[in-house]
Amino acid sequence: NIDSYQITSNNPKNIIMLSNNLEDDLSLMIKKFNFIKQLDKNTDYALSLKTIISSLSCKIILKKSFLDLGKSKLDSIGYTCIAFLTTSLHEDMDKLGEFGAYDLSEPHTLKINNKKLLIQMFRFPGGTIGELIQPLKIV
């Protein structure tokens, strides 16, 4: 079983994300998801995301994995996927492919708590599973 990322127990806003391709994952996180590279004495791969809603801010620490994350599955033990909200799923997915994301799924809709969501899965260049979620208006 492969855990692609984990939330550190002392701070739920600190997420450790494993990667088989640190440089490309770092590039994607900065250029596509607008994370900012932080100076961190423990790692060269600390990223922060500052949002207009401070409670949604987080820090991602990229760590090299020696396991083949390209074989991880959603039903593996532990946290296996990292999700991002979007307002333009199709446009964002096109851009993710340009940054080396692969295994792009077909978009699908899901209704949760009377809210309709458009969801599409992908793998980061380093193998971690990601998903984009776009809330839709119900007519």
Side-chain angles (χ1 to χ4, degrees), residues 15-40:
I15 300 167
I16 297 172
M17 181 173 139
L18 300 179
S19 174
N20 294 141
N21 187 336
L22 290 171
E23 294 300 326
D24 286 350
D25 279 351
L26 182 68
S27 177
L28 186 148
M29 296 296 278
I30 291 170
K31 294 178 182 172
K32 178 63 202 116
F33 291 117
N34 298 316
F35 277 81
I36 299 166
K37 188 173 179 183
Q38 283 187 300
L39 294 176
D40 188 312

Side-chain angles (χ1 to χ4, degrees), residues 127-139:
T128 293
I129 299 170
E131 82 180 306
L132 290 183
I133 302 170
Q134 179 182 345
L136 300 173
K137 294 182 181 186
I138 297 179
V139 266

Side-chain angles (χ1 to χ4, degrees), residues 48-67:
S48 65
L49 179 64
K50 302 291 184 208
T51 65
I52 58 172
I53 302 170
S54 62
S55 63
L56 298 178
S57 297
C58 70
K59 177 179 177 181
I60 292 184
I61 301 164
L62 290 174
K63 287 192 173 185
K64 178 74 173 163
S65 176
F66 297 100
L67 301 171

Side-chain angles (χ1 to χ4, degrees), residues 88-138:
S88 181
L89 185 131
H90 299 295
E91 183 180 317
D92 286 340
M93 271 301 189
D94 288 343
K95 290 178 185 172
L96 285 174
E98 294 171 16
F99 287 106
Y102 64 102
D103 282 351
L104 281 62
S105 73
E106 291 297 318
H108 61 279
T109 57
L110 183 64
K111 192 172 181 181
I112 298 177
N113 294 333
N114 209 26
K115 296 198 185 325
K116 192 172 182 182
L117 306 172
L118 183 62
I119 300 171
Q120 191 166 359
M121 311 294 289
F122 65 95
R123 282 193 188 271
F124 281 84
T128 293
I129 299 170
E131 82 180 306
L132 290 183
I133 302 170
Q134 179 182 345
L136 300 173
K137 294 182 181 186
I138 297 179

